[in-house]
């Protein structure tokens, strides 16, 4: 086990075994005696605290019962200082629907937060009602949850873990028993810079996941920076779970559960997900799953979708006055819901609409006029003659791909290589042959794999590389890539064989920065954001389920940085000739998962 995991395990063990104090008094507040355990949240555990000097108050700072949240000083949420969650609650003081923190401080080995005592979670309510919830109740939850999230987002935060367990009702028998609250801010992050007010920068770290697998947004699964769209996508899944009692991706088990759930979410359309529900649920879901990273959500319009389903105001199962204030405060005129009801609220460039497809992906770079040649549908027995003919004409292989056990070869005169060898092997990849060629001064410059497990690996001399390493993995090896980045390596080639990945990383690759875009369809939004930041695609590969792109910033920028991508069902022979006429040449090619 890696040392860092051992350390985390040690910390968690310490936090789980350290005795809790029987009495608590922090932050100048009254003394409380620990009562029953309410549950666990984030990195801590929550208990009922009963005031030693009893009062009749049921809420506020003098309430007889409080919720006490304990976090051990060594927990991941504390990092040997006050819990991160404390600062979030402090920033959100007074926000509608967020529980109030009345006292906080450290006692012994624990940081303690004394908060409003609330009632059951929506999960508890759903469970106690025979795992059924009325349409009226769910619509009211939608209305008020949107109002709470709007206020939370206005403060510059995203919650990061929206789910039924984190929505609580007020204490039974109090005026707030029908009021909705959103708790557990341990995973909250800023979407807006606290100093200059700008939106946080987009990034993707496929090895980082925050949230709860069942309700997390697809972007959270893929490790993208959290933004407002993620809370709303999680809310859509929460509402549909409460209304229908089950989500299509429940039941997956094992180490790759997150991968399978994300894949299923991507493959399930809003129409399929919302079948047999009122149109409001489909329109809301479709709108939020297609929202762009930094797009302003249409909270009021979404609220107006659900409002007609909530029933008459005085008798509603959830108090919706927060949402009503938002909608009443909106300008009169064209109904804010009109945009959604006629499907106009969906972004013009849709992020996730479209059918998953298997296509050719070609990447074109601007280059001064040069000779380039392509061959496709090439059987194993024909590769030799195409390569020999190309070599005789001064061309070397620059890219390879595989479709239905037949190879595609791109050969051109702009590689700068001085010699080249290749291997067609039944292995993915031929380790012994690669090691032998490394010894002779060759480096991997292109590779592809077939669905049956065979591979075509091209190695060349005349590259700038000084060292090379590769990894073959059953899942995309981002953790390994991240480790090698720190050692000065950059991704220079990628290939797939059915669902397996092979990634080659090289030292002295001529890059100063690099990132990865990985998606279950096609990361169009991410690629465009990276292009805007000065990155260009330098390697790509795709399985039947995912496509991945390595985007890099070159040490020496070319005079013309134009780059285009193309997705086609058939090999793009006619398109290639059109690109050549504009001095755009194939720089990368793959066959696999995209979106039509």
């Amino acid at each position: 086990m890696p040392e860092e995991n051992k350390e985390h395990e040690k910390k968690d063990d310490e936090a789980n075994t350290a005795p809790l104090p029987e009495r608590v008094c922090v932050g100048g507040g009254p003394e409380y005696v620990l009562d029953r355990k309410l549950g666990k949240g984030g990195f801590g555990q929550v208990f009922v605290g009963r005031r030693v000097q009893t009062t009749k108050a049921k809420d506020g700072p003098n309430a007889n019962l409080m919720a006490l949240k304990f976090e051990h000083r060594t927990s991941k949420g504390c990092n040997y200082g006050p819990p991160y969650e404390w600062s979030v609650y402090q920033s959100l003081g007074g926000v509608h629907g967020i529980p109030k923190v009345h006292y906080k401080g450290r006692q012994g080995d624990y940081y303690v937060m004394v908060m409003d005592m609330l009632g059951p979670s929506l999960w508890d309510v759903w469970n106690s009602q025979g795992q059924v919830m009325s349409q009226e109740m769910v619509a009211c939850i939608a209305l008020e949850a949107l109002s709470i999230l709007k206020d939370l987002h206005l403060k510059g935060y995203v919650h990061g873990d929206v789910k039924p367990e984190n929505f609580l009702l007020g204490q039974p028998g109090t005026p707030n028993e029908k009021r909705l609250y959103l708790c557990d801010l341990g995973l909250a992050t800023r979407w807006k810079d606290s100093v200059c007010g700008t939106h946080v920068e987009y990034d993707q770290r496929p090895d980082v996941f925050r949230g709860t697998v069942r309700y997390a947004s697809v972007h959270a699964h893929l490790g993208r920076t959290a933004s407002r769209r993620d809370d709303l996508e999680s809310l859509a899944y929460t509402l549909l779970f409460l209304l229908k009692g089950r989500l299509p991706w429940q039941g997956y088990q094992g180490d790759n559960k997150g991968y399978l759930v994300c894949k299923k979410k991507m493959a399930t359309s809003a129409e399929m997900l919302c079948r047999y529900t009122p149109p409001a649920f489909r329109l809301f879901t479709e709108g939020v799953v297609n929202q762009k990273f930094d797009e302003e959500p249409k909270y009021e319009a979404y609220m107006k979708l659900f409002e007609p389903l909530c029933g008459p105001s005085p008798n509603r199962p959830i108090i919706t006055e927060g949402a009503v204030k938002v909608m009443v405060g909106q300008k009169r005129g064209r109904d804010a819901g009109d945009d959604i009801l006629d499907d106009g609220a969906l972004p013009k460039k849709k992020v996730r609409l479209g059918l998953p497809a298997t296509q050719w992906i070609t990447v074109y770079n601007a280059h001064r006029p040069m000779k380039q040649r392509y061959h496709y549908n090439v059987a194993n027995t024909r590769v030799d003659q195409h390569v020999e003919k190309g070599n005789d004409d001064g061309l070397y292989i620059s890219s390879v791909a595989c479709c239905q056990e037949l190879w595609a070869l791109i050969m051109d005169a702009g590689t700068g290589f001085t010699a080249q060898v290749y291997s067609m092997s039944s292995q993915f990849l031929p380790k012994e042959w690669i090691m032998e060629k490394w010894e002779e001064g060759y480096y991997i410059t292109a590779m592809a794999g077939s669905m049956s497990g065979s591979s075509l690996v091209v190695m060349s001399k005349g590259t700038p590389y000084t060292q090379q390493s590769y990894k073959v993995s059953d899942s995309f090896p981002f953790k390994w890539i991240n480790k090698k980045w720190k050692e000065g390596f950059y991704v220079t080639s990628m290939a797939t064989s059915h669902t397996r990945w092979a990634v080659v990383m090289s030292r002295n690759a001529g890059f100063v920065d690099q990132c990865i875009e990985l998606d279950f369809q096609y990361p169009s939004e991410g690629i465009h954001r990276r292009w805007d930041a000065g990155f260009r695609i330098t390697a790509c590969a795709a399985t039947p389920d995912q496509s991945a792109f390595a985007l890099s910033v070159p040490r020496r920028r070319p005079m013309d940085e134009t780059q285009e991508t193309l997705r086609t069902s058939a090999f793009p022979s006619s398109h290639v000739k059109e690109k050549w006429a504009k001095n755009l040449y194939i720089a990368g090619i793959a066959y696999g998962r995209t979106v039509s």
Side-chain angles (χ1 to χ4, degrees), residues 104-143:
K104 59 183 186 292
R106 181 171 164 179
Q107 186 166 321
D109 283 337
Y110 285 94
Y111 288 98
V112 187
M113 195 158 52
V114 181
M115 311 170 66
D116 283 335
M117 179 74 181
L118 297 174
S121 71
L122 293 183
W123 168 270
D124 297 327
V125 174
W126 174 81
N127 226 9
S128 67
Q129 294 178 350
Q131 301 189 338
V132 173
M133 200 173 267
S134 72
Q135 179 181 293
E136 183 186 16
M137 175 85 163
V138 177
C140 289
I141 291 165
L143 207 58

Side-chain angles (χ1 to χ4, degrees), residues 146-147 149-151 153-154 191 228 232 291 295-304 326-327:
L146 281 163
S147 165
L149 287 172
K150 182 182 187 222
D151 285 355
H153 294 167
L154 279 172
W191 69 266
R228 293 166 290 182
L232 297 186
Q291 194 171 311
E295 187 181 344
E296 174 85 26
K298 294 178 168 62
Y299 305 98
E300 295 88 353
Y302 291 140
M303 288 180 203
K304 289 201 170 189
V326 171
M327 290 189 290

Side-chain angles (χ1 to χ4, degrees), residues 400-571:
V400 290
C402 187
C403 169
Q404 298 174 347
E405 307 299 315
L406 296 171
W407 305 104
L409 311 172
I410 310 301
M411 302 188 73
D412 62 59
T415 62
F417 303 148
T418 56
Q420 195 169 69
V421 290
Y422 65 91
S423 168
M424 283 185 292
S425 168
S426 59
Q427 298 171 280
F428 185 77
L429 298 172
K431 182 180 177 181
E432 288 76 16
W433 181 81
I434 291 171
M435 302 277 280
E436 177 189 315
K437 294 303 171 188
W438 274 343
E439 288 294 318
E440 296 174 17
Y442 288 90
Y443 290 98
I444 299 169
T445 51
M447 58 182 185
S450 72
M451 293 291 279
S452 64
S454 62
S455 64
L456 171 57
V457 180
V458 181
M459 299 184 72
S460 310
K461 285 185 177 179
T463 73
Y465 310 146
T466 53
Q467 195 178 349
Q468 209 166 54
S469 181
Y470 76 84
K471 185 173 181 68
V472 176
S473 174
D474 289 334
S475 58
F476 190 80
F478 186 81
K479 283 186 180 175
W480 176 78
I481 291 171
N482 199 34
K483 174 174 162 281
K484 300 303 281 184
W485 276 340
K486 291 169 186 170
E487 297 171 14
F489 287 80
Y490 290 96
V491 175
T492 49
S493 293
M494 296 195 291
T496 62
S497 172
H498 192 47
T499 57
R500 300 181 80 206
W501 292 88
V503 177
V504 176
M505 298 188 72
S506 310
R507 269 205 172 112
N508 199 35
F511 306 138
V512 293
D513 199 2
Q514 191 172 68
C515 62
I516 297 292
E517 282 295 322
L518 178 70
D519 205 296
F520 279 86
Q521 289 187 355
Y522 181 82
S524 182
E525 185 191 20
I527 288 171
H528 280 85
R529 287 189 175 278
R530 303 299 196 180
W531 276 346
D532 291 345
F535 289 82
R536 292 295 178 268
I537 298 166
T538 51
C540 63
T543 69
D545 294 327
Q546 291 180 302
S547 58
F549 297 81
L551 295 100
S552 314
V553 177
R555 184 172 287 117
R556 291 181 182 173
R557 289 189 175 276
M559 292 287 288
D560 187 345
E561 294 185 285
T562 303
Q563 184 171 75
E564 295 179 7
T565 60
L566 189 65
R567 306 191 302 272
T568 52
S569 298
F571 188 87

